[in-house]
Amino acid sequence: GMVLKEVPDGVVGRGLRLSRLGFSLTGSYLGYQMQNLWLGEVDRKERRRRFNQRASRRLRQELATLRGPVMKLGQLLSQQTHALAPEVIEELAHLQMRAPGMHPTLARAQFKAACGRYPEEAFRSFEPVPMAAASLGQVHRAVTHRGETVAVKIQYPAMRAAIESDFRLLRSATFPGRLTGHFPPAILDEIQRGFLEETDYVHEGHNLEFLREQLAGFAYLTIPQVDWAWTTERVLTMSFVTGLPLEEFLKQRPPAAVRDLLGRRLVELYQFQLQWARALHADQHPGNFLLHSDGRIGMVDFGCVKRLSFDAGELVRLCIQRAWRQHEAAGRRVAELIWGPAVPWPKARRMFPGLDEFADTLFPMVDGTAVAVDFGQPRVLEIVGRVLGQAVRNKLTNPEFAFVSRADLGLYTLLHQLRARVNVVEAWRGVQALEPRAWRGPRAAPAPSAQSSS
């Protein structure tokens, strides 16, 4: 590997002071994955106006000397825990790395190694140039012998080994010491487990089928169907989903009514996953939703689906009720859901003003009636990001909550970019009133009984 030069103390010093470390170049794939996973893209013009650029440019230059995962961990920290100054986010957006695409010959060889045939034998036609980069691989369009258009995701070589060696380095003696106070080790374990899980496309295929079954009641939603004939740990073939990624969609200048409708639907889908499926498409990334001007939505990339063991739906309900204002027992329950049972009550209580601000921003009430949130307002994203950051920065955080908070931030960033106006409480109540048990397929877990009391 290469040796990194000493990173000077500066803006970066608070959260990420590194001594010399060698990093494998395979880290650039992991870096690409980190960017996909953790970097929320906020409306750039808005940030440029708000943030102190000089400090952040310097930070970018410092971080850019670090290749691979450490550089991306800097982004992750800046988004997740606010361990770095807020003005870094603007410049960190420039660090987005695109993984170098595989040469067609290599992609073809990877497919053959995984499936036993060359793609041109497996399919009637196969486009050698990828149409998109996925988190751990790239996606090719193909047509099956039955004449169906499919998306074929082929993993980059040696991903597991790259992830394992990079995380070994992240845990090396010099590194975690620099992060203490900002980044609970449990969260690092959780990220590594998630990354390794994402290298198994069979697992992703099952995630996909699970959510497809769970969300079957939403007529406006398309989730691809797995083609198991050409799916292995390193190749995933699925039906082709149409629609435009957010950036392309916005170029068509969709009217406010369409943006509001899509926003409302994204909130519904998200709330349904939290409340009923107890599983979350945790990569709420703008490229993973394919939008149509009639309000239809396609959902793709299910490498990162998180099954939840804690009741996130209950947490939303308690926030809508501002339960901590009403009695201590409810406050203690909120604290337990966010930080786990170990958090001391005085410490939890200090967090409630932040939660008040969070609830007033996302679940606003006027004279007891829920009103819409204008997600186009940068203030909304600032408050949500700050409060989630404070919650996660607490060393006792429930790692699952950290995951949900990342997905939360991803969703609200999407809504911000859409400039959607959404009555979140109303959407939540609509989802609560559904009777999803009837939709459940055989593989789904039984509906949580705790929900019936809400």
Side-chain angles (χ1 to χ4, degrees), residues 335 339 342-353 390 393-397:
W339 296 290
V343 69
W345 175 239
K347 189 169 192 175
R349 225 171 28 208
R350 287 200 296 275
M351 293 296 294
F352 289 135
Q390 281 167 347
R393 194 165 51 222
N394 183 312
K395 282 197 209 59
L396 300 162
T397 295

Side-chain angles (χ1 to χ4, degrees), residues 2-273:
M2 54 184 192
V3 178
L4 302 171
K5 69 184 178 73
E6 193 85 338
V7 177
D9 282 1
V11 189
V12 81
R14 293 210 306 284
L16 196 68
R17 208 175 279 123
L18 291 174
S19 55
R20 297 177 197 290
L21 276 178
F23 270 86
S24 62
L25 285 168
T26 48
S28 66
Y29 284 138
L30 181 60
Y32 170 70
Q33 168 66 339
M34 277 272 191
Q35 168 253 315
N36 240 12
L37 226 92
W38 291 91
L39 184 62
E41 297 164 44
V42 188
D43 185 0
R44 293 209 174 120
K45 216 165 44 209
E46 200 46 62
R47 284 196 315 229
R48 200 166 295 124
R49 190 175 63 66
R50 263 197 338 270
F51 292 148
N52 164 353
Q53 269 190 317
R54 208 176 40 169
S56 38
R57 187 165 304 122
R58 187 171 136 218
L59 176 70
R60 170 163 67 104
Q61 287 156 358
E62 291 172 359
L63 279 182
T65 64
L66 308 177
R67 287 288 167 267
V70 175
M71 177 174 102
K72 297 301 157 183
L73 200 69
Q75 297 176 344
L76 179 158
L77 283 166
S78 71
Q79 185 196 335
Q80 261 313 83
T81 68
H82 294 219
L84 304 175
E87 63 270 12
V88 305
I89 298 166
E90 162 71 40
E91 286 291 327
L92 286 175
H94 296 299
L95 283 173
Q96 289 185 52
M97 295 193 324
R98 283 282 165 249
M102 281 181 281
H103 188 276
T105 323
L106 178 56
R108 189 170 167 265
Q110 284 289 98
F111 185 93
K112 169 88 160 32
C115 296
R117 307 281 270 296
Y118 285 113
E120 63 272 18
E121 300 171 308
F123 303 105
R124 180 190 296 172
S125 68
F126 176 86
E127 293 179 11
V129 178
M131 49 174 263
S135 32
L136 298 175
Q138 61 193 36
V139 184
H140 295 257
R141 191 194 297 251
V143 176
T144 65
H145 290 297
R146 294 188 306 278
E148 289 152 2
T149 306
V150 289
V152 184
K153 184 152 81 163
I154 304 177
Q155 197 170 115
Y156 299 129
M159 283 309 303
R160 281 191 82 86
I163 290 169
E164 280 165 350
S165 74
D166 285 326
F167 272 91
R168 259 199 308 281
L169 284 163
L170 290 182
R171 289 175 204 294
S172 67
T174 43
F175 197 72
R178 306 283 191 259
L179 290 176
T180 45
H182 292 300
F183 207 64
I187 294 179
L188 199 57
D189 297 344
E190 187 72 9
I191 298 166
Q192 180 174 4
R193 211 184 47 71
F195 275 28
L196 288 172
E197 217 167 69
E198 285 190 53
T199 62
D200 178 0
Y201 286 171
V202 171
H203 178 81
E204 178 171 344
H206 290 306
N207 282 344
L208 215 157
E209 290 194 327
F210 173 77
L211 276 184
R212 191 182 149 90
E213 228 164 49
Q214 294 289 305
L215 297 167
F218 294 96
Y220 57 75
L221 177 70
T222 305
I223 288 180
Q225 200 153 10
V226 182
D227 182 345
W228 288 107
W230 303 109
T231 292
T232 69
E233 266 195 31
R234 296 192 308 282
V235 169
L236 174 59
T237 301
M238 58 209 141
S239 57
F240 193 85
V241 175
T242 61
L244 294 174
L246 186 68
E247 210 178 329
E248 296 299 305
F249 181 74
L250 291 176
K251 283 178 186 160
Q252 300 192 329
R253 305 263 172 109
V258 171
R259 291 184 281 108
D260 293 349
L261 174 64
L262 285 166
R264 164 85 181 218
R265 287 175 168 183
L266 288 166
V267 169
E268 273 174 6
L269 291 170
Y270 188 77
Q271 292 293 350
F272 184 89
Q273 290 169 74

Side-chain angles (χ1 to χ4, degrees), residues 221-427:
L221 177 70
T222 305
I223 288 180
Q225 200 153 10
V226 182
D227 182 345
W228 288 107
W230 303 109
T231 292
T232 69
E233 266 195 31
R234 296 192 308 282
V235 169
L236 174 59
T237 301
M238 58 209 141
S239 57
F240 193 85
V241 175
T242 61
L244 294 174
L246 186 68
E247 210 178 329
E248 296 299 305
F249 181 74
L250 291 176
K251 283 178 186 160
Q252 300 192 329
R253 305 263 172 109
V258 171
R259 291 184 281 108
D260 293 349
L261 174 64
L262 285 166
R264 164 85 181 218
R265 287 175 168 183
L266 288 166
V267 169
E268 273 174 6
L269 291 170
Y270 188 77
Q271 292 293 350
F272 184 89
Q273 290 169 74
L274 284 183
Q275 284 191 63
W276 295 112
R278 285 286 187 96
L280 201 52
H281 182 298
D283 205 353
Q284 301 277 315
H285 182 273
N288 292 341
F289 295 92
L290 301 172
L291 309 176
H292 293 261
S293 53
D294 61 4
R296 283 177 302 129
I297 298 171
M299 204 190 266
V300 295
D301 204 342
F302 293 81
C304 197
V305 170
K306 180 75 188 156
R307 308 287 171 108
L308 300 174
S309 63
F310 83 111
D311 191 344
E314 183 189 359
L315 185 56
V316 177
R317 178 171 58 83
L318 293 169
C319 280
I320 288 173
Q321 295 168 350
R322 322 293 201 263
W324 53 88
R325 292 184 199 167
Q326 290 158 29
H327 41 80
E328 186 180 313
R332 287 183 182 270
R333 179 66 183 140
V334 170
E336 188 183 336
L337 286 166
I338 299 178
W339 296 290
V343 69
W345 175 239
K347 189 169 192 175
R349 225 171 28 208
R350 287 200 296 275
M351 293 296 294
F352 289 135
L355 275 183
D356 272 326
E357 203 180 7
F358 179 82
D360 291 342
T361 304
L362 286 180
F363 315 119
M365 299 278 188
V366 174
D367 302 327
T369 305
V371 294
V373 179
D374 180 356
F375 283 98
Q377 296 289 323
R379 199 185 60 86
V380 172
L381 211 54
E382 272 168 31
I383 290 169
V384 170
R386 182 163 38 85
V387 175
L388 289 175
Q390 281 167 347
V392 173
R393 194 165 51 222
N394 183 312
K395 282 197 209 59
L396 300 162
T397 295
N398 160 5
E400 281 190 36
F401 173 79
F403 223 91
V404 171
S405 74
R406 170 170 81 78
D408 258 7
L409 204 53
L411 172 70
Y412 299 132
T413 303
L414 260 167
L415 296 172
H416 175 70
Q417 289 170 301
L418 262 176
R419 301 198 314 285
R421 292 175 54 84
V422 183
N423 188 321
V424 180
V425 175
E426 230 174 52

